[in-house]
Amino acid sequence: MKSLYIDGRWEECETTIAVQDPATGEVVGDVARGRAEDAVRAVEAAERARQSWRGVPADVRAVRLRRVAALVLEHQEKLARLLTREQGKPLADARGEVQSAAEQFLWYAEEGRRVQGDVLQAPAPGRRFWVWREPVGVSAVITPWNYPIQTVARKTAAALAAGCTVVAKPSSLTPLSAVELVRLIEQADVPPGVVNLVTGPADEIGGVLTSHPAVRKITFTGSTEVGKRLMAEASSTVKSLSLELGGHAPLLVFEDADLNAAVKGAVTARFRSMGQICHSANRILVHRDILPAFREAFTAAVAALKVAPGLEPGSQIGPLINEEAVLRAERHVRDAVDRGASLLTGGERGRDPNLVGGTFFLPAVLDNCGPEMLVAREETFGPVAPLIPFEDEDEAIAEANRTPYGLAAYLFTRELARAIRVAERLDAGVIGLNDARASGISTPFGGVKESGFGREGGHYGIEEFLVTKSIAVSME
Ligand code: NAP
């Protein structure tokens, strides 16, 4: 397929990468295996388009972005089905993701119109001080497979609104919906060179994006391991970075919590998108007094989740992204059981006839878990929920903050003073207080510690694509 979009033209390569449906193993489509020289041409096109795009009034840029949003919504069903086929998530979630992608363009259409500078007090009558906010320049957008359209949309919309040009490199596992999104961006009359897309091997393309001097910004969502590597590589040309990396979110259930709300919240926070979300609740910490009731209700709710291909009506748990993900989930469950945990439900491959062709893993609850287990230390990135008991607030916070990550944390309590106290002490960029979704389009999303830095979403997101210029004027 022609999936390289460089300087307003679609191109193909002699070699391609096949994209598989994780529910069936069937090939859904293929994309070009772009090379380093393609990435160089894309960066050069973005650099050429940079001056003209930054000169387009924000109001006019907003018209283009609103048009992208309208086109995405017009094609919502088609995009959602493609997303489910390449990524596996239930169709209802895919529709939500596409809707969210459209909303990013609408949001940033307006946010771009509100970028403002300052006029500052000057120390003498004949002098003036101004502060201008300017686009940072060519921005490399590197995205993961778990939110293949929303992550490209959020970064690209904010970059374009700020007046930056873009070279996007989507995940090789799920590049198809990004390709379709860029086709819609083209249809919205975004000029050639403003958005470029290069599919293909990460090392080759990524190496260009991290080293080419014209790239001034790298906005990356993915694993902490790759984020560290990009950070090191980008240091040679001192690029601005925003890194949305891995997480190991704790979810704390205190003894005074609303039990139903906590159970429902924990199911959502752990099992949405099969647990393949950076802010998934990886560890469920429950106060000992409420643990028996929580365990019973939580296990029943998890066992009732419908595991089925994402396109099947009512599916709540689709396949994991690939065989490697299933092997990791199996390894984490086995390690926990070997170290003394009890498996209360799930924890094995799906064996129903409609599941055997895909990478399905039955959602698991593990009781009596501890910090030494893999499941409490590494991102499982799959539907496995370890229950860890605690006695008091200090112990819960110490366990919550134990990992090198700091993306999200959740707490369920009805006591106001405790809610504030605990939220203040949790090392996380995003907190869900009796709220399993923990974020919205207007909120800043991003981590602390090894979960990265920089914020996406709301008016905070556009800041990542702006630089501040100070102008001192003498009229003397
Ligand atoms: P990944 O392996 O780090 O890959 C992410 C992206 O980086 C992909 O496009 C990948 O391309 C590319 N990449 C890999 N090596 C590269 C290199 N050397 N240079 C340039 N690009 C390179 O992550 P993933 O497995 O796709 O996604 C899962 C991870 O993302 C989890 O750790 C999750 O927590 C994290 N995540 C974080 C957030 C957040 O907001 N904090 C959101 C979603 C996901 P290829 O696919 O071609 O290898």
Side-chain angles (χ1 to χ4, degrees):
M1 171 160 80
K2 288 188 175 176
S3 63
L4 305 179
Y5 184 63
I6 301 172
D7 211 4
R9 279 185 300 276
W10 288 97
E11 302 175 13
E12 58 193 345
C13 280
E14 281 160 18
T15 52
T16 56
I17 299 174
V19 180
Q20 278 187 338
D21 179 342
T24 60
E26 285 165 18
V27 173
V28 187
D30 60 61
V31 291
R33 187 182 284 276
R35 295 145 307 178
E37 55 263 37
D38 300 315
V40 171
R41 287 189 303 115
V43 171
E44 287 170 354
E47 174 63 6
R48 279 194 302 277
R50 185 171 71 86
Q51 290 298 352
S52 55
W53 182 246
R54 65 175 277 171
V56 172
D59 280 6
V60 178
R61 290 202 294 260
V63 172
R64 301 274 174 273
L65 296 188
R66 283 198 292 268
R67 180 80 188 119
V68 177
L71 285 165
V72 170
L73 289 178
E74 215 175 280
H75 294 83
Q76 183 175 12
E77 192 58 23
K78 187 178 127 202
L79 287 167
R81 285 180 175 274
L82 178 64
L83 178 48
T84 291
R85 289 211 68 203
E86 71 171 341
Q87 202 274 346
K89 66 179 65 180
L91 186 56
D93 292 351
R95 288 186 183 122
E97 184 178 337
V98 175
Q99 168 94 24
S100 159
E103 285 173 10
Q104 302 298 329
F105 283 93
L106 275 185
W107 183 280
Y108 284 106
E110 296 312 308
E111 211 57 70
R113 303 170 75 192
R114 298 193 184 103
V115 172
Q116 293 169 355
D118 287 309
V119 176
L120 306 178
Q121 296 296 328
R127 297 187 71 196
R128 298 289 184 272
F129 287 170
W130 300 325
V131 178
W132 294 348
R133 307 281 284 139
E134 299 193 334
V136 61
V138 174
S139 300
V141 164
I142 306 177
T143 52
W145 51 262
N146 64 338
Y147 276 81
I149 193 162
Q150 198 258 9
T151 47
V152 182
R154 184 150 76 171
K155 293 171 188 298
T156 303
L160 297 185
C164 296
T165 54
V166 163
V167 178
K169 195 223 102 48
S171 164
S172 300
L173 293 171
T174 58
L176 299 175
S177 35
V179 172
E180 291 309 311
L181 176 65
V182 173
R183 288 191 195 283
L184 299 178
I185 291 174
E186 180 192 21
Q187 278 181 39
D189 289 333
V190 172
V194 172
V195 173
N196 305 273
L197 177 73
V198 188
T199 53
D203 278 0
E204 218 175 313
I205 295 163
V208 172
L209 299 180
T210 52
S211 63
H212 198 299
V215 175
R216 295 313 321 148
K217 172 89 198 177
I218 297 180
T219 170
F220 170 76
T221 299
S223 60
T224 295
E225 185 190 346
V226 173
K228 286 179 181 176
R229 182 170 165 183
L230 298 186
M231 205 170 163
E233 289 176 11
S235 67
S236 66
T237 45
V238 192
K239 298 185 196 315
S240 163
L241 291 170
S242 301
L243 300 178
E244 301 281 350
L245 308 179
H248 209 287
L251 184 147
L252 282 56
V253 182
F254 287 94
E255 63 276 25
D256 62 289
D258 174 333
L259 183 67
N260 286 337
V263 167
K264 209 167 150 223
V267 171
T268 302
R270 172 66 284 199
F271 293 102
R272 187 153 60 100
S273 260
M274 296 78 83
Q276 301 178 128
I277 309 186
C278 51
H279 58 288
S280 277
N282 278 260
R283 288 163 290 154
I284 317 263
L285 316 184
V286 189
H287 190 278
R288 277 201 194 278
D289 290 354
I290 202 176
L291 183 58
F294 180 91
R295 180 198 293 129
E296 190 183 336
F298 182 66
T299 306
V302 173
L305 289 169
K306 180 170 174 175
V307 182
L311 291 178
E312 200 174 299
S315 166
Q316 292 171 296
I317 301 281
L320 302 191
I321 187 66
N322 54 22
E323 177 64 16
E324 199 186 312
V326 176
L327 291 173
R328 186 174 53 239
E330 281 180 333
R331 194 171 68 247
H332 280 200
V333 169
R334 207 171 36 244
D335 170 81
V337 170
D338 286 351
R339 291 172 194 262
S342 321
L343 181 60
L344 302 183
T345 185
E348 55 179 355
R349 284 167 195 264
R351 305 210 188 277
D352 284 357
N354 65 336
L355 306 182
V356 288
T359 43
F360 291 90
F361 191 76
L362 303 183
V365 179
L366 288 161
D367 191 24
N368 198 25
C369 292
E372 71 289 0
M373 298 175 182
L374 283 181
V375 77
R377 289 191 281 127
E378 296 177 5
E379 255 186 314
T380 307
F381 233 59
V384 179
L387 302 182
I388 303 175
F390 69 85
E391 302 279 357
D392 60 35
E393 216 172 284
D394 283 345
E395 186 190 348
I397 291 168
E399 167 55 24
N401 290 342
R402 179 181 47 78
T403 75
Y405 298 106
L407 185 57
Y410 305 83
L411 67 149
F412 284 82
T413 176
R414 281 185 285 200
E415 194 193 313
L416 179 62
R418 164 180 280 156
I420 296 170
R421 209 166 47 231
V422 174
E424 281 178 356
R425 292 178 63 196
L426 288 170
D427 293 340
V430 174
I431 303 270
L433 170 50
N434 298 320
D435 182 345
R437 299 189 88 91
S439 66
I441 188 161
S442 58
T443 63
F445 190 84
V448 297
K449 294 162 64 180
E450 293 190 18
S451 289
F453 48 81
R455 292 294 178 267
E456 296 191 330
H459 70 83
Y460 307 88
I462 200 164
E463 294 294 324
E464 303 288 323
F465 297 95
L466 295 169
V467 288
T468 301
K469 185 182 273 178
S470 167
I471 300 101
V473 185
S474 171
M475 299 181 297
E476 289 159 358

